[in-house]
Amino acid sequence: MTPHVLGDPSRTTSDAAAESRIWLIWMQADNWTGIVRLPKGVQRVTDWLASRVRGLGSWINAHYRLRHAQSMGRGVRVHGRLELENRGGYLSVGNLVWFLGGPLRSQILCAPGAVLTIGDGCGFNYGFRIEANQEVRIGARCDVASLCRIIDQTPTRSGAVVIEDDVWLAHGVTVMPGVRIGKGSVVSAGTVVESDIPPGSLAIGRPARCIALSNLTH
Amino acid sequence: MRNLWLLPMRQVGRSVVVNGPVLVRGRGDIFVGDRVVFDCARFAIDLYAFEGAAIRIGDGVHIGPGVSIEATEYVEIGHGARLGAFVKILDNNLHGTTTDRNALPDAQPVLVGAGAKIGDRCVLLPGARVGADATVLDDGVLTRKVPAGIVVGGLPARRVRDPN
């Protein structure tokens, strides 16, 4: 497998800028139909056509963006920019995983010998960053919101990160190395997770404190 | 229309400065006042108004790079407010916490008062109301009401008596 390097020296900044501009225009395309005010019935048809085009586009994009993944399930969709840097690790993406685009690009790094598995039906919003140096496991049906960081090695600590099924990481969550997040837990916006989170809990704070979800009234 | 990025917005005031891409997504209405600065040369700004939602940006607002505003009902930025880099404003959690994860919960409008300063990387969650001239320090996460003129910060955001 040829390693795909993020900081490719042959790729100039103007190339990157041009590419990102094309993606931004593509992403805005859902609104071009909104500018031209059409009758409801016609609008419904153009919406349907646009959704089919974007569906096919995201499928093609997924196969291009995740071309260095070792295993990829069915129905994976990638909207917008996702940068995968696989330096010789093992990346497996499950069925029906979707990656949304947005103002910032998402990044997945996989070091030599690292294992990164993404379970079935996970959803990722824009701008997240996953760094797998040893092992990162993300269970089924997890939601990872925008600007999340999942890291399994820092200068001071290292260890496998395990995110179990049905976990929801809200906007801007940082998951530190060696952490296990239990099944069905919710990690609230901006939280830094430095220790294990038991199943079915809500984590808030820097560092995170846990509350059982069953104790919440709303 | 001077700038193509502003084309999908419902209403745009005078002397609006745009130095990069502004992603206007969704079918909702976006109203922008006079002298608004979209500072998005480095990172795009994302304004996502769902169908039937409105985002109202007042006069003289400065919006930093990488800011994302998502409205399912109503988000208002008052006159002269400043949003730092990578601020995220949501008026809906978009997922149920204790209820069905995939169902859309009820929206709670987010209001940012006139002259308020929102620091870099802040998150304003549903129900956040920042009073006039209040300051939210960098990395703050806000879900409640902030009285006018005070300084808050942290997660969850609390009053900071001595910001230095």
Side-chain angles (χ1 to χ4, degrees):
Chain A
M1 196 203 69
T2 47
H4 168 62
V5 181
L6 265 185
D8 181 0
S10 65
R11 198 167 151 237
T12 62
T13 47
S14 61
D15 286 347
E19 192 211 26
S20 65
R21 189 55 61 99
I22 289 164
W23 275 113
L24 293 171
I25 292 167
W26 171 248
M27 283 184 41
Q28 225 193 14
D30 73 326
N31 213 284
W32 294 125
T33 54
I35 296 162
V36 186
R37 308 257 162 199
L38 298 165
K40 265 270 153 64
V42 183
Q43 185 91 66
R44 208 166 291 154
V45 173
T46 54
D47 276 5
W48 181 81
L49 279 171
S51 76
R52 302 309 292 184
V53 170
R54 242 175 291 123
L56 180 64
S58 66
W59 183 85
I60 295 166
N61 192 26
H63 284 261
Y64 169 63
R65 298 287 174 180
L66 296 170
R67 63 193 181 281
H68 295 300
Q70 272 70 23
S71 104
M72 190 165 142
R74 300 183 66 231
V76 178
R77 294 278 189 270
V78 178
H79 299 266
R81 292 163 295 163
L82 171 69
E83 290 180 351
L84 166 62
E85 176 178 342
N86 194 339
R87 297 191 186 123
Y90 183 86
L91 169 61
S92 131
V93 181
N95 298 317
L96 298 169
V97 176
W98 45 267
F99 298 87
L100 293 185
L104 305 168
R105 64 195 65 195
S106 312
Q107 291 177 319
I108 299 176
L109 282 90
C110 220
V115 177
L116 170 52
T117 55
I118 296 172
D120 296 346
C122 285
F124 293 82
N125 211 328
Y126 70 85
F128 70 87
R129 182 178 173 89
I130 299 175
E131 290 179 24
N133 291 292
Q134 301 158 16
E135 189 178 358
V136 174
R137 292 192 182 277
I138 300 176
R141 298 173 301 281
C142 289
D143 291 310
V144 177
S146 39
L147 302 178
C148 281
R149 291 187 298 278
I150 300 171
I151 302 166
D152 73 346
Q153 195 172 339
T154 63
T156 50
R157 57 187 285 181
S158 69
V161 173
V162 179
I163 297 173
E164 293 176 1
D165 297 352
D166 299 301
V167 169
W168 170 21
L169 305 182
H171 174 89
V173 167
T174 302
V175 180
M176 298 295 276
V179 163
R180 185 179 193 96
I181 301 181
K183 197 172 187 309
S185 289
V186 177
V187 185
S188 79
T191 295
V192 178
V193 185
E194 290 184 340
S195 55
D196 291 4
I197 293 175
S201 48
L202 173 71
I204 305 178
R206 299 187 192 106
R209 290 176 295 114
C210 298
I211 307 161
L213 275 174
S214 53
N215 290 348
L216 294 179
T217 50
H218 56 272
Chain B
M1 183 59 67
R2 282 141 293 179
N3 196 304
L4 280 178
W5 294 110
L6 302 177
L7 199 61
M9 294 178 182
R10 173 55 68 87
Q11 197 182 83
V12 180
R14 303 171 67 191
S15 308
V16 171
V17 176
V18 181
N19 59 7
V22 180
L23 305 181
V24 178
R25 302 198 278 166
R27 281 283 163 72
D29 296 325
I30 296 173
F31 302 91
V32 174
D34 300 339
R35 303 180 306 285
V36 172
V37 177
F38 291 95
D39 180 11
C40 42
R42 301 291 170 87
F43 300 102
I45 286 171
D46 180 30
L47 303 176
Y48 201 143
F50 286 67
E51 180 128 41
I55 297 175
R56 200 174 282 276
I57 296 170
D59 297 343
V61 173
H62 182 103
I63 299 184
V67 167
S68 170
I69 300 176
E70 291 186 30
T72 58
E73 196 179 298
Y74 188 60
V75 171
E76 185 175 317
I77 315 290
H79 300 315
R82 294 181 69 85
L83 307 184
F86 305 110
V87 168
K88 180 87 174 182
I89 299 180
L90 292 161
D91 75 344
N92 195 321
N93 281 324
L94 304 169
H95 300 278
T97 314
T98 48
T99 53
D100 179 14
R101 179 71 55 81
N102 296 316
L104 195 68
D106 293 337
Q108 289 170 285
V110 175
L111 310 174
V112 177
K117 284 194 186 69
I118 313 293
D120 296 349
R121 301 177 298 281
C122 280
V123 186
L124 303 192
L125 290 172
R129 278 148 201 256
V130 183
D133 300 311
T135 303
V136 184
L137 299 178
D138 293 356
D139 300 300
V141 178
L142 202 63
T143 53
R144 305 253 170 95
K145 198 173 167 183
V146 174
I150 71 163
V151 180
V152 297
L155 193 175
R158 293 176 206 283
R159 183 162 189 187
V160 179
R161 293 197 185 274
D162 181 11
N164 300 316

